[in-house]
Amino acid sequence: IGVVSGSCSPMSAAQIDWAQAHGFLTLRMAVPLCLDPLQAETEIERLTQQAAAAVAQGVSPVIYSAKGPDDPAVQGFEAVAQGLGLDKAQASESIGMALAEVMRRLLDRTPLRRVVVAGGDSSGAVASHLGIQAFTVAAGMAPGVPLCRAWSDDARRDGLEIALKGGQLGLPSFYGAVRAGRVA
């Protein structure tokens, strides 16, 4: 599976830690670079290349912007955004779009057909960026988090299995459960 996480919740941090301890490749997004229009492309491409290389080796990547509310990326977020002339909403949107672009490129370069997006704003950004028109529930993965089938006019996206989850939902082992195709 491929995972992108824009969530700052403690549960998302626990899920990232669990994934790292259980064979996933975890890749931290350099948030200041993704907020800077002159550097965002380079950072998005770095993350995509490393994630695609992991998939080619049979390893599931987790790309994340922060590990919980105490992460330095969260603590310095507003100052970095202000330094670039962005308000908090614009900066948050930029991070969501960067994660969405990483996911789009990862899907275009790999045979992945099952993905997870953690974080409400990130989920909306990814779904719209991938050109998904509708979802149907395929399976319940955790309370409040179904694994869905995506419907799209784009054949590369049609039938994609995707779990869109709020950061606080699921157990620490959630990504492992999605990878294994079992309820968490």
Side-chain angles (χ1 to χ4, degrees), residues 1 6 9 17 22-23 56 63 87 97 106-107 115-116 125 143 151 153 161 181:
I1 66 170
S9 80
D17 287 340
H22 290 87
I63 299 98
D87 63 30
M97 289 309 299
L106 185 59
L107 288 169
V115 299
V116 177
W151 296 84
D153 293 333
E161 294 180 330

Side-chain angles (χ1 to χ4, degrees), residues 34-91:
C34 285
L35 292 177
D36 183 344
L38 300 176
Q39 299 182 70
E41 170 59 30
T42 301
E43 178 62 0
I44 289 167
E45 187 57 27
R46 176 190 73 84
L47 293 166
T48 303
Q49 286 180 6
Q50 290 181 5
V55 171
Q57 295 175 357
V59 175
S60 297
V62 176
I63 299 98
Y64 66 95
S65 59
K67 265 193 187 180
D70 298 327
D71 189 294
V74 174
Q75 300 300 314
F77 184 73
E78 288 187 47
V80 171
Q82 286 176 350
L84 292 166
L86 302 171
D87 63 30
K88 188 175 180 181
Q90 291 169 319

Side-chain angles (χ1 to χ4, degrees), residues 99-169:
L99 288 168
E101 182 60 16
V102 169
M103 182 59 79
R104 184 193 68 74
R105 292 180 189 189
L106 185 59
L107 288 169
D108 286 350
R109 295 179 192 179
T110 68
L112 284 178
R113 297 299 297 160
R114 182 178 293 165
V115 299
V116 177
V117 183
D121 292 339
S122 300
S123 291
V126 170
S128 64
H129 197 64
L130 295 180
I132 295 170
Q133 283 86 35
F135 296 105
T136 53
V137 174
M141 296 307 301
V145 189
L147 182 66
C148 296
R149 180 200 188 278
W151 296 84
S152 176
D153 293 333
D154 183 341
R156 296 172 300 169
R157 307 294 182 247
D158 193 52
L160 178 70
E161 294 180 330
I162 185 168
L164 304 171
K165 66 179 247 27
Q168 72 282 9
L169 299 176

